[in-house]
Every structure is written in C-alpha cells, then in structure tokens.
Amino acid sequence: MDFSELRTVVEEVELVDGHAHNIVPLDSTFPFIRAFTGASGDALTFSPHSLSFKRNLKDIAELYGCESTLQGVEEYRRVNGIQSICSTCFKSARISTILIDDGFELDKKHYIEWHKNFSPLVGRILRVERVAEQILDEGLPDGSSWTLDSFIEVFVSKLKSAAGEIYGFKSIAAYYSGLEINTNVTKNDAEEGLTQVLASGKPVCVANKNLVDYIFLQSLEIAQFYDLPVQIHTGFGDKGLDMRLSNPLHLRAVLEDKRYSKCRFVLLHASYPFSREASYLASIHPQVYLDFGLAIPKLSVHGMISSVKELLELAPLNKVMFSTDGYAFPETFYLGAKKSREVIFSVMRDACIDGDLSIPEAVEVVHDMFARNALHFYKLSSANNDVSLSNNLPQKLNINSLVTNEL
Ligand SMILES: [Zn+2]
C-alpha cells in the first residue's frame, strides 16, 4: 500500500485546537518542568525518568537546536524570550484556531487576546466552577450573605451574558467530587453544600458534591438553551484528582436523563485510561464526543497509539477530535501538534492495513479529526465541509468582547 498521500495530508493539514489553556511569561512561578508532567512535589523528581519526558525533551531540543537537557532548553528559552519561542513553536505546529479555557489558574498568565499573535483565531471556553468561585469570592454588593437562590441568580445571568461570546462550557466536576452527578440533587442539598463551602473561607473552592452537581446541572440547562457544547474533564490529571471518579461511565445518569438529551458533551483527555469506556459511550449516546488532547503528548508512544486506537474501537469517526491541551508553555502546543500528526498517521495506516479503512477514507478521517469535527462541534464554521479555514472565518468570534467580559 502506498501511504504517501496519507502522510502528506497528515503533515499539511491545519489544526483546530478545541481544548487549551493560557500561556505564561518566562518569569511566571509555574516551573517549566511542568510542561512534561502532571506530577508535583516529590513526585516531580522522578518525572525525568519517564518515557514521554525523555522523548518530549528531545523533540523540543531538536526544534530549538539546543542541548537536549532541561537546563539546555531553559537556557534557550531565557536567551530567546517568550515571543521568539512562541513563534518557533506555533510556526511548526500550524494551528489555525485555539479555544482557551482560561479558568486554569496560572501565575501571570497572558490574556486570551495575546494568543492571537500566534494563531489566527482564538476563542474562549468558560469553566463553570471557576465562574461560581469568582462570584462567591466577590460577595454580594450589600455585604449580605449568599443564599442558594441569590447565588444561582447571579451565576445563571453570568453564563447567559457570556453565551454569545464563547464557544462552550468546561466542567472540572471530576476534580471536585467525581462524574457520578446526582441528577436529582435537591435545592436543600445544594444550599447545605453552599453553606459548608462558604464556611471554609476565601478563596472559595466549590468542591462540595451537592453544590458541584447542582452547578453542573444548571450549566447544562443554559448550554442546551444556547446550543453550546460542554467539555468535561475525564480520565487522568494531577494529584488533586481521584481518578476512580473520573471514569466517564459515571456520567450515565446525566446521559440517560431526558432533560439533558439535547446537550452536546466532549470527553477530554481520551478519558485515559478509560479510553474504551469513552469509545463505547460515544457509540451509543448521540450527545457524546471525544477529544484526545493530553493523552497526546503526555503518554509513551505505545500509550498514545493504543489510547487513540481504543477510542476508535467503537466511536463514530466524526465524533473524535484533536486538541493539544496546551498550557503555560508554547512547547506543549508544539508537542501536542507534532505527536498528534505522528500518532494519527500511524493509527490510520494500521486501520488501512487491517482493512478497516481504504486510503481515501483514511484521508477524510484525518481532515475530520484534525479540523472539521471541531469546526462543526464548536460551530466555528458555517460550511463544515470546507477544510480551508482562510475562506471560512468563524461567524461568532469577537475578541474584544471576549476579553472585556471579565467573569
Ligand atoms: Zn486542559
């Protein structure tokens, strides 16, 4: 079989990055070693001994033409500055659109608009738990204490006023209390949760299961009303996560609830290591889509290929999407793009050899997974069959209002 056309398409396609976070300046306190790992504290000292760390470091050193050590790369970053390394990384990554969840707290992060220097189209994803925490941190104007009703009124109005300027919501319920959302959580339960959360003082963290579930369900109603997609953290993350609770199978009650049947969900991170479970959900629930960011580039080569192959075991190919899950460092966007091209080529080539796909079908799948599925899912384009982005600017993008609308 001749895979040269497939290879060319994979290498040349412009990428739509549906899930990423803000970049930070060089003097941020967020350490560069975190570009390679979700580990922290003492676990960080072992991180350089993982397969993905060694490979990703080599790839960056090769891009920069510098010594292949953490110190060598850090020295290169210091000497060249953030603008230069961003240019190098994004020129090589060729990402046409980035959707940024700016609810990930990072020291000195750049505003969303700043990222337009490196990618033509940049939009915002709103993290709903962060919106809730900002509201509760600010307090009521008259100094009185929150009730569930007064809080939810402000929360709903914030989400509604943002709806026209964002591309979706994001939930980190998995981090706080897990994905087994109680679709019958009562107002009383949520009110108790709110009281408990407020009693813990500021900065407020809404990590009480009843309150998190209530916020999640309120967000779904608004998402459904405005036909906005909802990104859900699933699978691995950092130490703050109880991974047992981030298995997307826990979402069954939400997925089976008729009240939310028109919601569109995307399960982030290939739900690793629950990639097969995610694939199954996408195959039986029309409202479930998949995203393989973070699994690429944070796993070994075997891990990246096997988790993407597992995602494709059952899932419809027009529901599976690329993202970088880039954050803090432009190198994470570069690695996400580069490794995704390599992994998808390998997975598509094997699908052709196995007889699952013809080569022309595999070429179409590449366009779908890297761009068209996300353009459609996030409504970034009115003509979803057009792979050329230049003629096809998103209708909704208004960067000025995105940035001035502080939530
Ligand atoms: Zn993320």
Side-chain angles (χ1 to χ4, degrees), residues 272-316:
Y272 178 86
F274 311 112
S275 306
R276 285 180 163 144
E277 288 84 340
S279 183
Y280 169 71
L281 291 175
S283 75
I284 57 161
H285 294 287
Q287 67 272 47
V288 173
Y289 293 71
L290 309 174
D291 177 311
F292 53 78
L294 197 68
I296 305 176
K298 289 292 190 288
L299 305 177
S300 69
V301 171
H302 172 81
M304 295 189 292
I305 289 174
S306 64
S307 70
V308 171
K309 283 186 171 180
E310 286 175 11
L311 279 191
L312 301 187
E313 285 178 3
L314 283 168

Side-chain angles (χ1 to χ4, degrees), residues 128-162:
V128 294
E129 292 85 3
R130 192 74 204 107
V131 174
E133 286 164 351
Q134 281 172 344
I135 293 167
L136 296 171
D137 270 335
E138 277 168 27
L140 281 162
D142 63 1
S144 62
S145 13
W146 290 106
T147 61
L148 187 70
D149 281 336
S150 61
F151 160 64
I152 289 296
E153 191 187 325
V154 179
F155 178 72
V156 166
S157 85
K158 291 258 186 198
L159 294 200
K160 283 182 175 172
S161 65

